[in-house]
Amino acid sequence: MHNNTSTPGRTRSASQVRGAVVALTLGAALFTVGAVGLTPVGNTAAHSGPHTAPARGSLGALQARVRKMPQDAGAWAALGMAYVQQARTTADPATYDRADKALRRSLAVQPDDNTGAQIGLGALAAARHDFPTALDRARRATATAPYSSVAYGVLADAYTQLGQYPASYRAVQRMNDLRPDAPALARASYTFELRGRTDQAVTLMRRSLDAASTTGERSFAHTVLSTLALQTGDTRQALREAETGLRNAPGDSALLEARARARAALGQTRQAVDDYRAAIAVAPLPHYLLGLGELQQSLGHEAQAEAQYAVLRGQEAVRRAGRTPADTDAILFEADHGSPSRAVAMAQEALRTRPFIAVHDACAWALHRAGRDAEALRQADQALALGTRSALFRYHRAAIRHNLGDDAAARSDLEAALRTEPHFHPLHATTARALLQRIDETP
């Protein structure tokens, strides 16, 4: 048995239809966009994800509409969805409450066959990480509106986060059969990304970008393309994608964070810090705060790192007060900068309603930090079961395997992590290289 030598860390969604077909292979089953040509066409997320249902008009226009026409169920549903989208970008819990009230007002006005409200409530539940409720709402929406592409988008997202991957692939397939637009193709891209098939994921995301009809869809596509480039170690391309997106949406926080990660990987740490700060000024999301904190920590700026961690602790206190399940960033932060045993409890609670691969990885890391490596390995294996190309997941499993005395397996994971993404984390990449060297030098 080896000593635990890991250091703290984190994880960190139109032109004319063209004659192309997407094939999504699910084990033995073949999953195609039925003879339909695909336009090159938004969590947490994995990433947050592509937009689920468009809101008709601006937020101000929708607010004016419901004041003028309070019995317009469709306007209330559109307003609720607009609030959901706003909350995703601002991280303001009060906006989720406004979304809930608007969507329930829509249902009060029209209790039956109100697909718009059901879709909105499903998207809201998913944004709050209540995926069982999101699944229930999405099923209701697809039952009343079997030809609604956006309803199948919510269904796909819920199935994905609940770990029901074949069902999610089928929902994405149906979404593309109905309407192969930017959100549908973005989800198809994600099915490949989850399984480590990055080339296909990039191809589909470029089609999603080409078919994008809004600034938000284009920004989302560039964010994902930047992330996919980082996953293959192409840091220059990652930077280009983020900068291209920012030219059209200079205040987009996700693109600012993507550029920060690309710049950090390129050694442009001062500019990376500036981008993280700009992203946080727009939306103080946990993964932005943790990314900046750990970058500052890697630079030896302990006071600046602690300032970010203090905000994260405040956000965690709010989460606990609201009794909502923890996200992966909160779990990893607690494991590394708080109480590993509390992180284990948070992870186990999250897994009950969200058995997604990223939560399995966070649980594995929490268990590892708590000294429970045999249990951690089972969770790490589940995190990588789909074939996901995550250098961080690989590193986590390598550290666990090393502690369990399986250095051959640890070496395999470390080599895979560093080969695909040499600068996958400001703290862990250095630790991974040191651990690999130590393993190689051990007689």
Short mmCIF file of all heavy atoms in Angstrom, two decimals, residues 165-229:
data_model
loop_
_atom_site.label_atom_id
_atom_site.label_comp_id
_atom_site.label_asym_id
_atom_site.label_seq_id
_atom_site.Cartn_x
_atom_site.Cartn_y
_atom_site.Cartn_z
N TYR A 165 -27.91 5.95 -20.28
CA TYR A 165 -27.29 6.44 -21.52
C TYR A 165 -27.95 5.92 -22.79
O TYR A 165 -28.23 6.73 -23.69
CB TYR A 165 -25.80 6.15 -21.48
CG TYR A 165 -25.13 6.75 -20.27
CD1 TYR A 165 -24.65 5.94 -19.24
CD2 TYR A 165 -25.04 8.13 -20.11
CE1 TYR A 165 -24.09 6.50 -18.10
CE2 TYR A 165 -24.48 8.69 -18.98
CZ TYR A 165 -24.01 7.86 -17.97
OH TYR A 165 -23.46 8.41 -16.84
N PRO A 166 -28.24 4.62 -22.93
CA PRO A 166 -28.93 4.20 -24.15
C PRO A 166 -30.25 4.92 -24.38
O PRO A 166 -30.59 5.30 -25.50
CB PRO A 166 -29.12 2.69 -23.94
CG PRO A 166 -28.00 2.30 -23.03
CD PRO A 166 -27.85 3.48 -22.10
N ALA A 167 -31.01 5.14 -23.29
CA ALA A 167 -32.27 5.87 -23.42
C ALA A 167 -32.02 7.31 -23.86
O ALA A 167 -32.78 7.88 -24.66
CB ALA A 167 -33.03 5.85 -22.11
N SER A 168 -30.94 7.91 -23.36
CA SER A 168 -30.63 9.29 -23.77
C SER A 168 -30.25 9.33 -25.24
O SER A 168 -30.62 10.26 -25.95
CB SER A 168 -29.50 9.86 -22.91
OG SER A 168 -28.24 9.35 -23.27
N TYR A 169 -29.52 8.32 -25.71
CA TYR A 169 -29.14 8.30 -27.13
C TYR A 169 -30.39 8.20 -28.01
O TYR A 169 -30.48 8.85 -29.06
CB TYR A 169 -28.23 7.11 -27.42
CG TYR A 169 -26.96 7.03 -26.59
CD1 TYR A 169 -26.37 5.80 -26.35
CD2 TYR A 169 -26.37 8.18 -26.06
CE1 TYR A 169 -25.21 5.70 -25.60
CE2 TYR A 169 -25.21 8.08 -25.31
CZ TYR A 169 -24.64 6.84 -25.08
OH TYR A 169 -23.50 6.73 -24.33
N ARG A 170 -31.35 7.38 -27.57
CA ARG A 170 -32.58 7.25 -28.35
C ARG A 170 -33.35 8.56 -28.39
O ARG A 170 -33.93 8.93 -29.43
CB ARG A 170 -33.45 6.12 -27.79
CG ARG A 170 -32.88 4.73 -28.04
CD ARG A 170 -33.89 3.64 -27.70
NE ARG A 170 -34.17 3.56 -26.27
CZ ARG A 170 -33.48 2.82 -25.40
NH1 ARG A 170 -32.43 2.11 -25.83
NH2 ARG A 170 -33.81 2.78 -24.11
N ALA A 171 -33.36 9.28 -27.27
CA ALA A 171 -34.04 10.57 -27.24
C ALA A 171 -33.34 11.58 -28.15
O ALA A 171 -34.01 12.35 -28.86
CB ALA A 171 -34.10 11.11 -25.81
N VAL A 172 -32.03 11.57 -28.15
CA VAL A 172 -31.28 12.46 -29.06
C VAL A 172 -31.56 12.08 -30.50
O VAL A 172 -31.72 12.95 -31.38
CB VAL A 172 -29.77 12.40 -28.76
CG1 VAL A 172 -28.98 13.16 -29.82
CG2 VAL A 172 -29.47 12.98 -27.39
N GLN A 173 -31.65 10.78 -30.75
CA GLN A 173 -31.96 10.33 -32.10
C GLN A 173 -33.31 10.87 -32.57
O GLN A 173 -33.46 11.40 -33.67
CB GLN A 173 -31.99 8.80 -32.14
CG GLN A 173 -32.30 8.24 -33.52
CD GLN A 173 -31.22 8.59 -34.51
OE1 GLN A 173 -30.14 8.06 -34.44
NE2 GLN A 173 -31.52 9.48 -35.43
N ARG A 174 -34.31 10.74 -31.68
CA ARG A 174 -35.64 11.23 -32.02
C ARG A 174 -35.63 12.73 -32.24
O ARG A 174 -36.29 13.25 -33.16
CB ARG A 174 -36.62 10.86 -30.90
CG ARG A 174 -38.05 11.31 -31.13
CD ARG A 174 -38.66 10.68 -32.36
NE ARG A 174 -40.07 11.02 -32.47
CZ ARG A 174 -40.76 10.97 -33.61
NH1 ARG A 174 -40.16 10.57 -34.73
NH2 ARG A 174 -42.04 11.28 -33.63
N MET A 175 -34.88 13.44 -31.41
CA MET A 175 -34.77 14.89 -31.55
C MET A 175 -34.23 15.26 -32.93
O MET A 175 -34.72 16.17 -33.60
CB MET A 175 -33.87 15.44 -30.45
CG MET A 175 -33.85 16.95 -30.34
SD MET A 175 -32.69 17.50 -29.05
CE MET A 175 -33.07 19.26 -29.03
N ASN A 176 -33.20 14.53 -33.37
CA ASN A 176 -32.62 14.81 -34.68
C ASN A 176 -33.54 14.37 -35.81
O ASN A 176 -33.57 15.00 -36.88
CB ASN A 176 -31.25 14.14 -34.80
CG ASN A 176 -30.16 14.95 -34.15
OD1 ASN A 176 -29.60 15.85 -34.77
ND2 ASN A 176 -29.86 14.66 -32.90
N ASP A 177 -34.27 13.29 -35.61
CA ASP A 177 -35.24 12.88 -36.62
C ASP A 177 -36.28 13.96 -36.86
O ASP A 177 -36.70 14.22 -37.98
CB ASP A 177 -35.97 11.60 -36.18
CG ASP A 177 -35.10 10.36 -36.26
OD1 ASP A 177 -34.04 10.41 -36.92
OD2 ASP A 177 -35.46 9.35 -35.63
N LEU A 178 -36.72 14.58 -35.76
CA LEU A 178 -37.76 15.59 -35.85
C LEU A 178 -37.25 16.91 -36.40
O LEU A 178 -37.91 17.55 -37.22
CB LEU A 178 -38.38 15.81 -34.46
CG LEU A 178 -39.22 14.66 -33.93
CD1 LEU A 178 -39.52 14.86 -32.44
CD2 LEU A 178 -40.53 14.54 -34.71
N ARG A 179 -36.07 17.32 -35.92
CA ARG A 179 -35.56 18.64 -36.33
C ARG A 179 -34.06 18.71 -36.07
O ARG A 179 -33.63 19.06 -34.98
CB ARG A 179 -36.27 19.73 -35.55
CG ARG A 179 -35.91 21.14 -36.01
CD ARG A 179 -36.68 22.17 -35.21
NE ARG A 179 -36.33 23.52 -35.63
CZ ARG A 179 -36.78 24.63 -35.06
NH1 ARG A 179 -37.62 24.54 -34.04
NH2 ARG A 179 -36.42 25.81 -35.50
N PRO A 180 -33.24 18.40 -37.06
CA PRO A 180 -31.78 18.41 -36.86
C PRO A 180 -31.20 19.82 -36.87
O PRO A 180 -30.45 20.22 -37.77
CB PRO A 180 -31.27 17.58 -38.03
CG PRO A 180 -32.28 17.81 -39.11
CD PRO A 180 -33.61 17.93 -38.41
N ASP A 181 -31.56 20.59 -35.85
CA ASP A 181 -31.09 21.96 -35.75
C ASP A 181 -29.89 22.04 -34.81
O ASP A 181 -29.33 21.02 -34.41
CB ASP A 181 -32.23 22.88 -35.29
CG ASP A 181 -32.82 22.47 -33.94
OD1 ASP A 181 -32.30 21.51 -33.32
OD2 ASP A 181 -33.80 23.11 -33.50
N ALA A 182 -29.50 23.25 -34.43
CA ALA A 182 -28.29 23.43 -33.62
C ALA A 182 -28.38 22.70 -32.27
O ALA A 182 -27.45 21.97 -31.90
CB ALA A 182 -28.01 24.92 -33.42
N PRO A 183 -29.46 22.85 -31.50
CA PRO A 183 -29.52 22.12 -30.23
C PRO A 183 -29.51 20.60 -30.40
O PRO A 183 -28.89 19.90 -29.60
CB PRO A 183 -30.83 22.61 -29.60
CG PRO A 183 -31.06 23.95 -30.22
CD PRO A 183 -30.59 23.80 -31.63
N ALA A 184 -30.19 20.09 -31.41
CA ALA A 184 -30.23 18.64 -31.62
C ALA A 184 -28.85 18.12 -31.98
O ALA A 184 -28.40 17.08 -31.46
CB ALA A 184 -31.23 18.30 -32.72
N LEU A 185 -28.15 18.80 -32.87
CA LEU A 185 -26.83 18.34 -33.27
C LEU A 185 -25.81 18.52 -32.15
O LEU A 185 -24.87 17.73 -32.02
CB LEU A 185 -26.38 19.09 -34.53
CG LEU A 185 -27.12 18.62 -35.80
CD1 LEU A 185 -26.89 19.60 -36.94
CD2 LEU A 185 -26.67 17.22 -36.19
N ALA A 186 -26.00 19.53 -31.31
CA ALA A 186 -25.11 19.69 -30.15
C ALA A 186 -25.25 18.50 -29.21
O ALA A 186 -24.26 17.98 -28.68
CB ALA A 186 -25.43 20.98 -29.42
N ARG A 187 -26.49 18.04 -29.01
CA ARG A 187 -26.68 16.87 -28.15
C ARG A 187 -26.12 15.61 -28.79
O ARG A 187 -25.57 14.74 -28.10
CB ARG A 187 -28.15 16.71 -27.81
CG ARG A 187 -28.62 17.72 -26.77
CD ARG A 187 -30.11 17.60 -26.51
NE ARG A 187 -30.52 18.45 -25.40
CZ ARG A 187 -30.77 19.75 -25.52
NH1 ARG A 187 -30.65 20.35 -26.69
NH2 ARG A 187 -31.13 20.46 -24.45
N ALA A 188 -26.27 15.49 -30.10
CA ALA A 188 -25.67 14.34 -30.78
C ALA A 188 -24.15 14.35 -30.61
O ALA A 188 -23.52 13.32 -30.37
CB ALA A 188 -26.03 14.36 -32.27
N SER A 189 -23.56 15.54 -30.69
CA SER A 189 -22.13 15.67 -30.46
C SER A 189 -21.76 15.17 -29.07
O SER A 189 -20.75 14.47 -28.88
CB SER A 189 -21.72 17.14 -30.62
OG SER A 189 -20.38 17.36 -30.21
N TYR A 190 -22.59 15.52 -28.09
CA TYR A 190 -22.28 15.14 -26.71
C TYR A 190 -22.33 13.63 -26.50
O TYR A 190 -21.57 13.09 -25.70
CB TYR A 190 -23.24 15.85 -25.77
CG TYR A 190 -22.85 15.78 -24.31
CD1 TYR A 190 -21.53 16.04 -23.91
CD2 TYR A 190 -23.78 15.48 -23.33
CE1 TYR A 190 -21.17 15.99 -22.57
CE2 TYR A 190 -23.43 15.43 -21.98
CZ TYR A 190 -22.12 15.69 -21.61
OH TYR A 190 -21.76 15.63 -20.29
N THR A 191 -23.21 12.94 -27.22
CA THR A 191 -23.24 11.49 -27.07
C THR A 191 -21.91 10.87 -27.49
O THR A 191 -21.47 9.88 -26.90
CB THR A 191 -24.38 10.85 -27.90
OG1 THR A 191 -24.12 10.96 -29.29
CG2 THR A 191 -25.73 11.45 -27.55
N PHE A 192 -21.28 11.45 -28.52
CA PHE A 192 -19.96 10.96 -28.92
C PHE A 192 -18.89 11.37 -27.92
O PHE A 192 -17.98 10.60 -27.60
CB PHE A 192 -19.61 11.47 -30.32
CG PHE A 192 -20.30 10.75 -31.42
CD1 PHE A 192 -21.29 11.36 -32.17
CD2 PHE A 192 -19.97 9.43 -31.73
CE1 PHE A 192 -21.93 10.69 -33.19
CE2 PHE A 192 -20.60 8.75 -32.75
CZ PHE A 192 -21.60 9.38 -33.48
N GLU A 193 -18.97 12.60 -27.42
CA GLU A 193 -17.99 13.05 -26.44
C GLU A 193 -18.00 12.17 -25.20
O GLU A 193 -16.93 11.82 -24.66
CB GLU A 193 -18.28 14.50 -26.05
CG GLU A 193 -17.25 15.09 -25.08
CD GLU A 193 -17.58 16.49 -24.64
OE1 GLU A 193 -18.46 17.14 -25.24
OE2 GLU A 193 -16.97 16.95 -23.65
N LEU A 194 -19.18 11.80 -24.73
CA LEU A 194 -19.28 10.95 -23.55
C LEU A 194 -18.56 9.62 -23.75
O LEU A 194 -18.02 9.05 -22.79
CB LEU A 194 -20.75 10.67 -23.22
CG LEU A 194 -21.55 11.80 -22.59
CD1 LEU A 194 -23.02 11.43 -22.49
CD2 LEU A 194 -20.99 12.17 -21.22
N ARG A 195 -18.55 9.14 -24.98
CA ARG A 195 -17.94 7.84 -25.26
C ARG A 195 -16.50 7.96 -25.76
O ARG A 195 -15.92 6.98 -26.24
CB ARG A 195 -18.81 7.08 -26.26
CG ARG A 195 -20.12 6.60 -25.64
CD ARG A 195 -21.08 6.03 -26.65
NE ARG A 195 -21.69 7.09 -27.44
CZ ARG A 195 -22.16 6.90 -28.68
NH1 ARG A 195 -22.06 5.72 -29.25
NH2 ARG A 195 -22.72 7.90 -29.32
N GLY A 196 -15.94 9.16 -25.68
CA GLY A 196 -14.54 9.34 -26.04
C GLY A 196 -14.27 9.42 -27.52
O GLY A 196 -13.11 9.36 -27.94
N ARG A 197 -15.31 9.60 -28.31
CA ARG A 197 -15.14 9.65 -29.77
C ARG A 197 -15.10 11.12 -30.20
O ARG A 197 -16.03 11.68 -30.74
CB ARG A 197 -16.25 8.86 -30.44
CG ARG A 197 -16.21 7.39 -30.04
CD ARG A 197 -17.44 6.60 -30.43
NE ARG A 197 -17.62 6.53 -31.86
CZ ARG A 197 -18.62 5.87 -32.45
NH1 ARG A 197 -19.50 5.22 -31.70
NH2 ARG A 197 -18.73 5.84 -33.75
N THR A 198 -13.95 11.71 -29.92
CA THR A 198 -13.82 13.17 -30.03
C THR A 198 -13.94 13.66 -31.46
O THR A 198 -14.51 14.72 -31.72
CB THR A 198 -12.48 13.62 -29.42
OG1 THR A 198 -12.37 13.08 -28.10
CG2 THR A 198 -12.40 15.13 -29.33
N ASP A 199 -13.39 12.93 -32.41
CA ASP A 199 -13.46 13.37 -33.81
C ASP A 199 -14.91 13.53 -34.27
O ASP A 199 -15.27 14.53 -34.90
CB ASP A 199 -12.73 12.39 -34.72
CG ASP A 199 -11.22 12.44 -34.55
OD1 ASP A 199 -10.73 13.41 -33.94
OD2 ASP A 199 -10.53 11.52 -35.03
N GLN A 200 -15.74 12.51 -33.95
CA GLN A 200 -17.15 12.61 -34.33
C GLN A 200 -17.85 13.74 -33.57
O GLN A 200 -18.71 14.43 -34.11
CB GLN A 200 -17.86 11.28 -34.07
CG GLN A 200 -17.38 10.14 -34.95
CD GLN A 200 -16.32 9.30 -34.24
OE1 GLN A 200 -15.49 9.82 -33.49
NE2 GLN A 200 -16.35 7.99 -34.48
N ALA A 201 -17.47 13.91 -32.31
CA ALA A 201 -18.06 15.00 -31.52
C ALA A 201 -17.75 16.35 -32.14
O ALA A 201 -18.63 17.23 -32.23
CB ALA A 201 -17.55 14.94 -30.08
N VAL A 202 -16.52 16.54 -32.59
CA VAL A 202 -16.13 17.80 -33.22
C VAL A 202 -16.89 18.01 -34.52
O VAL A 202 -17.41 19.11 -34.79
CB VAL A 202 -14.61 17.83 -33.46
CG1 VAL A 202 -14.23 19.01 -34.35
CG2 VAL A 202 -13.85 17.90 -32.14
N THR A 203 -16.99 16.96 -35.33
CA THR A 203 -17.70 17.08 -36.61
C THR A 203 -19.14 17.53 -36.40
O THR A 203 -19.63 18.45 -37.07
CB THR A 203 -17.68 15.74 -37.36
OG1 THR A 203 -16.32 15.40 -37.67
CG2 THR A 203 -18.49 15.81 -38.64
N LEU A 204 -19.83 16.91 -35.45
CA LEU A 204 -21.21 17.27 -35.20
C LEU A 204 -21.34 18.66 -34.59
O LEU A 204 -22.28 19.40 -34.90
CB LEU A 204 -21.86 16.23 -34.29
CG LEU A 204 -22.27 14.94 -35.00
CD1 LEU A 204 -22.52 13.83 -34.00
CD2 LEU A 204 -23.50 15.18 -35.86
N MET A 205 -20.40 19.04 -33.74
CA MET A 205 -20.48 20.37 -33.16
C MET A 205 -20.21 21.45 -34.21
O MET A 205 -20.79 22.54 -34.14
CB MET A 205 -19.51 20.51 -31.98
CG MET A 205 -19.71 21.78 -31.17
SD MET A 205 -21.42 22.10 -30.62
CE MET A 205 -21.63 20.77 -29.44
N ARG A 206 -19.39 21.16 -35.18
CA ARG A 206 -19.18 22.13 -36.26
C ARG A 206 -20.46 22.28 -37.09
O ARG A 206 -20.80 23.36 -37.55
CB ARG A 206 -18.00 21.72 -37.14
CG ARG A 206 -16.68 21.84 -36.43
CD ARG A 206 -15.54 22.28 -37.32
NE ARG A 206 -14.35 22.51 -36.52
CZ ARG A 206 -14.10 23.62 -35.84
NH1 ARG A 206 -14.97 24.62 -35.88
NH2 ARG A 206 -13.01 23.75 -35.12
N ARG A 207 -21.18 21.17 -37.30
CA ARG A 207 -22.46 21.27 -37.99
C ARG A 207 -23.46 22.07 -37.15
O ARG A 207 -24.25 22.85 -37.68
CB ARG A 207 -23.02 19.87 -38.27
CG ARG A 207 -22.20 19.11 -39.30
CD ARG A 207 -22.78 17.73 -39.54
NE ARG A 207 -21.94 16.97 -40.47
CZ ARG A 207 -22.10 15.69 -40.72
NH1 ARG A 207 -23.06 15.01 -40.10
NH2 ARG A 207 -21.30 15.07 -41.58
N SER A 208 -23.40 21.87 -35.84
CA SER A 208 -24.26 22.66 -34.95
C SER A 208 -23.92 24.14 -35.07
O SER A 208 -24.82 24.98 -35.13
CB SER A 208 -24.07 22.18 -33.50
OG SER A 208 -24.86 22.92 -32.62
N LEU A 209 -22.65 24.45 -35.13
CA LEU A 209 -22.23 25.84 -35.28
C LEU A 209 -22.73 26.42 -36.60
O LEU A 209 -23.25 27.53 -36.65
CB LEU A 209 -20.70 25.93 -35.21
CG LEU A 209 -20.07 27.30 -35.50
CD1 LEU A 209 -20.54 28.33 -34.48
CD2 LEU A 209 -18.55 27.19 -35.48
N ASP A 210 -22.60 25.66 -37.68
CA ASP A 210 -23.03 26.16 -38.99
C ASP A 210 -24.54 26.39 -39.05
O ASP A 210 -25.01 27.27 -39.77
CB ASP A 210 -22.62 25.17 -40.09
CG ASP A 210 -21.13 25.16 -40.34
OD1 ASP A 210 -20.44 26.09 -39.89
OD2 ASP A 210 -20.65 24.21 -41.00
N ALA A 211 -25.28 25.60 -38.29
CA ALA A 211 -26.74 25.74 -38.30
C ALA A 211 -27.25 26.70 -37.25
O ALA A 211 -28.45 26.95 -37.17
CB ALA A 211 -27.38 24.37 -38.11
N ALA A 212 -26.38 27.22 -36.42
CA ALA A 212 -26.82 28.09 -35.31
C ALA A 212 -27.52 29.33 -35.85
O ALA A 212 -27.06 29.95 -36.81
CB ALA A 212 -25.61 28.49 -34.47
N SER A 213 -28.62 29.67 -35.22
CA SER A 213 -29.40 30.83 -35.66
C SER A 213 -29.39 31.96 -34.64
O SER A 213 -29.97 33.02 -34.90
CB SER A 213 -30.84 30.41 -35.94
OG SER A 213 -31.44 29.86 -34.78
N THR A 214 -28.76 31.74 -33.48
CA THR A 214 -28.70 32.77 -32.45
C THR A 214 -27.27 32.93 -31.95
O THR A 214 -26.44 32.01 -32.10
CB THR A 214 -29.59 32.42 -31.25
OG1 THR A 214 -29.03 31.29 -30.57
CG2 THR A 214 -31.01 32.10 -31.69
N THR A 215 -27.01 34.06 -31.34
CA THR A 215 -25.68 34.28 -30.74
C THR A 215 -25.41 33.25 -29.66
O THR A 215 -24.28 32.75 -29.54
CB THR A 215 -25.61 35.70 -30.15
OG1 THR A 215 -25.81 36.65 -31.18
CG2 THR A 215 -24.26 35.95 -29.49
N GLY A 216 -26.42 32.91 -28.87
CA GLY A 216 -26.24 31.92 -27.81
C GLY A 216 -25.84 30.56 -28.34
O GLY A 216 -24.96 29.90 -27.77
N GLU A 217 -26.47 30.13 -29.43
CA GLU A 217 -26.11 28.83 -30.03
C GLU A 217 -24.69 28.86 -30.58
O GLU A 217 -23.94 27.88 -30.43
CB GLU A 217 -27.11 28.48 -31.12
CG GLU A 217 -28.48 28.09 -30.58
CD GLU A 217 -29.52 27.91 -31.67
OE1 GLU A 217 -29.25 28.27 -32.84
OE2 GLU A 217 -30.61 27.41 -31.34
N ARG A 218 -24.31 29.96 -31.21
CA ARG A 218 -22.94 30.05 -31.73
C ARG A 218 -21.92 30.09 -30.59
O ARG A 218 -20.87 29.45 -30.68
CB ARG A 218 -22.81 31.29 -32.62
CG ARG A 218 -23.47 31.14 -33.99
CD ARG A 218 -23.19 32.33 -34.90
NE ARG A 218 -23.93 33.52 -34.47
CZ ARG A 218 -25.17 33.80 -34.86
NH1 ARG A 218 -25.83 32.99 -35.66
NH2 ARG A 218 -25.77 34.90 -34.45
N SER A 219 -22.22 30.82 -29.54
CA SER A 219 -21.30 30.89 -28.40
C SER A 219 -21.13 29.52 -27.76
O SER A 219 -20.02 29.13 -27.41
CB SER A 219 -21.82 31.90 -27.37
OG SER A 219 -21.84 33.20 -27.91
N PHE A 220 -22.24 28.82 -27.59
CA PHE A 220 -22.17 27.49 -27.00
C PHE A 220 -21.30 26.57 -27.85
O PHE A 220 -20.46 25.83 -27.33
CB PHE A 220 -23.58 26.90 -26.85
CG PHE A 220 -23.57 25.52 -26.27
CD1 PHE A 220 -23.42 25.32 -24.91
CD2 PHE A 220 -23.70 24.41 -27.09
CE1 PHE A 220 -23.39 24.04 -24.38
CE2 PHE A 220 -23.69 23.12 -26.56
CZ PHE A 220 -23.53 22.93 -25.20
N ALA A 221 -21.48 26.61 -29.17
CA ALA A 221 -20.71 25.74 -30.06
C ALA A 221 -19.21 26.05 -29.96
O ALA A 221 -18.39 25.13 -29.87
CB ALA A 221 -21.18 25.89 -31.50
N HIS A 222 -18.85 27.32 -29.96
CA HIS A 222 -17.43 27.67 -29.84
C HIS A 222 -16.86 27.25 -28.48
O HIS A 222 -15.70 26.82 -28.39
CB HIS A 222 -17.23 29.16 -30.06
CG HIS A 222 -17.27 29.58 -31.50
ND1 HIS A 222 -16.38 29.11 -32.44
CD2 HIS A 222 -18.12 30.42 -32.17
CE1 HIS A 222 -16.65 29.65 -33.63
NE2 HIS A 222 -17.69 30.44 -33.49
N THR A 223 -17.66 27.37 -27.43
CA THR A 223 -17.21 26.93 -26.11
C THR A 223 -16.90 25.44 -26.11
O THR A 223 -15.85 25.00 -25.62
CB THR A 223 -18.26 27.24 -25.05
OG1 THR A 223 -18.52 28.65 -25.02
CG2 THR A 223 -17.81 26.79 -23.66
N VAL A 224 -17.81 24.65 -26.66
CA VAL A 224 -17.61 23.20 -26.69
C VAL A 224 -16.43 22.84 -27.58
O VAL A 224 -15.60 21.98 -27.23
CB VAL A 224 -18.89 22.49 -27.17
CG1 VAL A 224 -18.63 20.99 -27.36
CG2 VAL A 224 -20.01 22.70 -26.16
N LEU A 225 -16.31 23.49 -28.74
CA LEU A 225 -15.19 23.20 -29.64
C LEU A 225 -13.85 23.54 -28.98
O LEU A 225 -12.86 22.84 -29.17
CB LEU A 225 -15.36 23.96 -30.96
CG LEU A 225 -16.46 23.41 -31.87
CD1 LEU A 225 -16.78 24.41 -32.98
CD2 LEU A 225 -16.04 22.07 -32.47
N SER A 226 -13.83 24.60 -28.19
CA SER A 226 -12.61 24.92 -27.45
C SER A 226 -12.29 23.83 -26.44
O SER A 226 -11.13 23.39 -26.30
CB SER A 226 -12.78 26.27 -26.74
OG SER A 226 -11.63 26.61 -25.99
N THR A 227 -13.30 23.37 -25.73
CA THR A 227 -13.11 22.31 -24.74
C THR A 227 -12.64 21.02 -25.40
O THR A 227 -11.74 20.34 -24.89
CB THR A 227 -14.43 22.05 -23.99
OG1 THR A 227 -14.80 23.24 -23.29
CG2 THR A 227 -14.28 20.92 -22.98
N LEU A 228 -13.24 20.67 -26.53
CA LEU A 228 -12.83 19.44 -27.24
C LEU A 228 -11.39 19.55 -27.74
O LEU A 228 -10.64 18.56 -27.72
CB LEU A 228 -13.79 19.17 -28.39
CG LEU A 228 -15.21 18.76 -28.00
CD1 LEU A 228 -16.12 18.74 -29.21
CD2 LEU A 228 -15.21 17.41 -27.30
N ALA A 229 -10.99 20.74 -28.17
CA ALA A 229 -9.60 20.92 -28.60
C ALA A 229 -8.64 20.72 -27.44
O ALA A 229 -7.58 20.10 -27.58
CB ALA A 229 -9.42 22.30 -29.22
#
